[in-house]
Amino acid sequence: RFGEVLLHARDHASSNDEYNLAIYNAQSLVDYIDKSLDKSNNTVPVRCGLADDIARCLSTRSMYQFRKRQLECDASDSDFTPEQFDLELMGRLYYSAISRTEPYLREVGLTVDHTGFTALLALCRASSAITLTKQHCSLPMLSEPGAKLDAALSNHFNAITVAGRRFFFSHHHGLECGPKTRGKHLVCAFSSLGNGIVRHEFGGSLAKLNNQDEPFDVLFVADPAQSW
């Protein structure tokens, strides 16, 4: 959330430099919004197309290839990767995203780092918020540009190597050969938080549990956006 990002950066600063950068980013956002409102006669607080531009640069083929190379470094068959590996992976994903969005960080006047990047995302998300009124209820939603940016972020910050494979069905998971028919049982392996980054989990243990006498299928479900 917009306000929480700014407050978190200020309140969790571990040095005077970090504190000053948090204040600088907050002031830069205020100045940027004021200028945008002046240019648009108090109608548009953020440049039209900013969220689309960021989503587009995070969704390029080269970004996908970079993320895939980082994930291929982990060849483990265990259910969970070491936390340190995931933290290092997240750092590289952040670095690539910040590098690609540098022109837009400079456009808004933010620092080219993690704090500036999260502030930029929060700004775009806040400006994309809309309210849908249905049956006397107000439902918070995102405009189309905001939804595209959300999708681009969740596509980038996850550990699923195959594009679009949020749902992955594994027939007789872990068994080299078996009947072609579906198993009588289906196990749904859901993951949303992960060990630092979301990936399909529990595959190793489920493969060991499966057997030829009564094989089961597995549906792996990943929710990088934590939509639950």
Side-chain angles (χ1 to χ4, degrees):
R1 293 181 178 86
F2 186 50
E4 290 179 358
V5 168
L6 298 177
L7 289 174
H8 180 84
R10 184 198 66 182
D11 296 342
H12 290 77
S14 58
S15 66
N16 286 334
D17 287 342
E18 287 187 4
Y19 180 86
N20 290 333
L21 286 176
I23 300 301
Y24 171 84
N25 282 326
Q27 186 60 56
S28 294
L29 287 174
V30 172
D31 293 342
Y32 173 80
I33 292 171
D34 285 343
K35 291 178 182 178
S36 297
L37 289 173
D38 287 341
K39 291 180 180 179
S40 63
N41 195 24
N42 290 327
T43 57
V44 181
V46 174
R47 173 177 67 81
C48 291
L50 180 59
D52 276 325
D53 289 342
I54 297 172
R56 193 177 301 111
C57 76
L58 293 176
S59 304
T60 62
R61 179 68 179 174
S62 60
M63 284 288 277
Y64 166 71
Q65 292 291 354
F66 172 84
R67 185 173 66 85
K68 187 176 181 180
R69 286 195 299 272
Q70 310 312 306
L71 297 174
E72 288 172 348
C73 295
D74 175 36
S76 172
D77 292 327
S78 63
D79 285 344
F80 302 100
T81 56
E83 183 177 7
Q84 186 60 36
F85 175 87
D86 277 351
L87 290 175
E88 292 173 359
L89 172 61
M90 283 295 289
R92 293 193 291 272
L93 293 180
Y94 263 112
Y95 174 80
S96 62
I98 293 169
S99 298
R100 288 300 181 92
T101 56
E102 181 175 352
Y104 310 111
L105 289 165
R106 297 196 182 281
E107 175 186 339
V108 180
L110 297 169
T111 54
V112 185
D113 56 15
H114 175 271
T115 302
F117 179 68
T118 52
L120 177 65
L121 298 179
L123 172 68
C124 290
R125 207 174 193 283
S127 66
S128 300
I130 58 176
T131 301
L132 176 65
T133 302
K134 185 177 182 181
Q135 295 181 348
H136 308 292
C137 296
S138 296
L139 303 174
M141 296 186 65
L142 291 175
S143 62
E144 183 177 348
K148 287 181 178 179
L149 179 56
D150 253 20
L153 288 167
S154 58
N155 280 337
H156 182 63
F157 289 99
N158 71 72
I160 305 169
T161 55
V162 180
R165 191 175 281 188
R166 306 285 181 82
F167 297 86
F168 173 55
F169 178 79
S170 180
H171 178 62
H172 296 168
H173 179 71
L175 300 179
E176 294 184 1
C177 59
K180 295 182 179 180
T181 57
R182 292 278 182 89
K184 292 183 178 180
H185 304 285
L186 175 67
V187 177
C188 182
F190 180 85
S191 57
S192 185
L193 296 176
N195 185 21
I197 186 169
V198 178
R199 66 181 77 239
H200 293 313
E201 296 171 346
F202 309 109
S205 293
L206 289 171
K208 294 176 183 178
L209 290 173
N210 216 348
N211 62 81
Q212 296 284 359
D213 295 332
E214 194 172 357
F216 57 81
D217 302 326
V218 178
L219 177 64
F220 294 96
V221 182
D223 180 22
Q226 299 178 22
S227 59
W228 56 271

